[in-house]
Amino acid sequence: MVSRVLLASGAFAVWVAHVLVMWLVYDGSAYELLWACHLAPLLLALGIALGSVSLTSVAAIWTTLGTTMWLGNLLALGRAPEPTPLLIHAGTVGLAIAAVRTIGWDPRAWWRASLALFVLASLTRLVPGAARYDVNLVFRVWPGFEPVFPHVVPFLMFVAVMIVIATYVIGRALGQLARGEVSSRSWSRSRPSSRTT
């Protein structure tokens, strides 16, 4: 098994690389740090370091969902992913999978991840500068969806439902992956018990 220190260090290093590439290569804005996929490696590092199964599981869902949406958005725009962002996103997903295999899985993570995403989306909407970059895609109807959703509110309601479905599906998949290779050692009291009383 990969050590927690190594996993936490790797996740933190990926987050630092994410921030540096965003600023130095793409001349990004501080508002872009609010992207869920930018926060996911930091949450993952924190969850691993604390030995929190719940936080690690939520971060794993966030990064899997965020990477899938990022790739889907690029494909919808007809753009190929650039190597550095692709490596950073893929690296976070790889670390997340290694983390849930090592630390364990919280079966309640799907609804916690959904709730945390809704909170993040609400906070993002309160940051006016984030609208310029459509951070977390909560300010405008996504390109191509305008004929179906002429206004942003019904679109966001649709996205909210899809997020719940996606986090559930991703959570089930990651849970099965974790159950297959999870260590019997428990590092956190937050790890759900599989024993029945």
Side-chain angles (χ1 to χ4, degrees):
M1 282 293 172
V2 182
S3 75
R4 283 197 303 147
V5 172
L6 190 60
L7 284 171
S9 300
F12 185 72
V14 167
W15 179 75
V16 170
H18 216 89
V19 172
L20 290 176
V21 167
M22 184 182 69
W23 255 303
L24 300 178
V25 178
Y26 296 101
D27 195 29
S29 160
Y31 300 117
E32 293 182 89
L33 291 174
L34 291 172
W35 280 101
C37 59
H38 290 187
L39 290 171
L42 188 59
L43 290 180
L44 186 63
L46 186 61
I48 296 167
L50 294 174
S52 170
V53 175
S54 295
L55 187 54
T56 300
S57 300
V58 166
I61 290 177
W62 272 29
T63 194
T64 305
L65 177 61
T67 298
T68 304
M69 290 180 69
W70 172 73
L71 284 171
N73 191 44
L74 287 177
L75 292 174
L77 295 173
R79 292 164 44 193
E82 296 184 31
T84 305
L86 180 61
L87 285 172
I88 289 171
H89 281 84
T92 308
V93 171
L95 287 166
I97 291 171
V100 299
R101 284 180 169 178
T102 301
I103 295 175
W105 181 255
D106 180 1
R108 300 161 297 187
W110 69 272
W111 65 261
R112 290 177 171 176
S114 295
L115 185 59
L117 280 170
F118 297 151
V119 170
L120 178 62
S122 300
L123 291 174
T124 303
R125 291 274 302 178
L126 297 176
V127 180
R132 178 180 174 191
Y133 307 95
D134 197 18
V135 174
N136 292 317
L137 307 173
V138 295
F139 293 95
R140 296 184 280 281
V141 176
W142 296 351
F145 283 84
E146 296 91 348
V148 181
F149 299 101
H151 191 269
V152 72
V153 173
F155 173 72
L156 291 177
M157 292 171 66
F158 167 75
V159 171
V161 171
M162 296 310 294
I163 281 175
V164 172
I165 293 169
T167 57
Y168 178 76
V169 170
I170 291 168
R172 288 293 300 265
L174 289 172
Q176 289 176 356
L177 186 65
R179 278 193 298 275
E181 306 215 18
V182 68
S183 169
S184 60
R185 181 178 174 188
S186 175
W187 283 291
S188 171
R189 282 182 292 204
S190 66
R191 178 176 178 176
S193 174
S194 59
R195 293 176 296 175
T196 55
T197 54

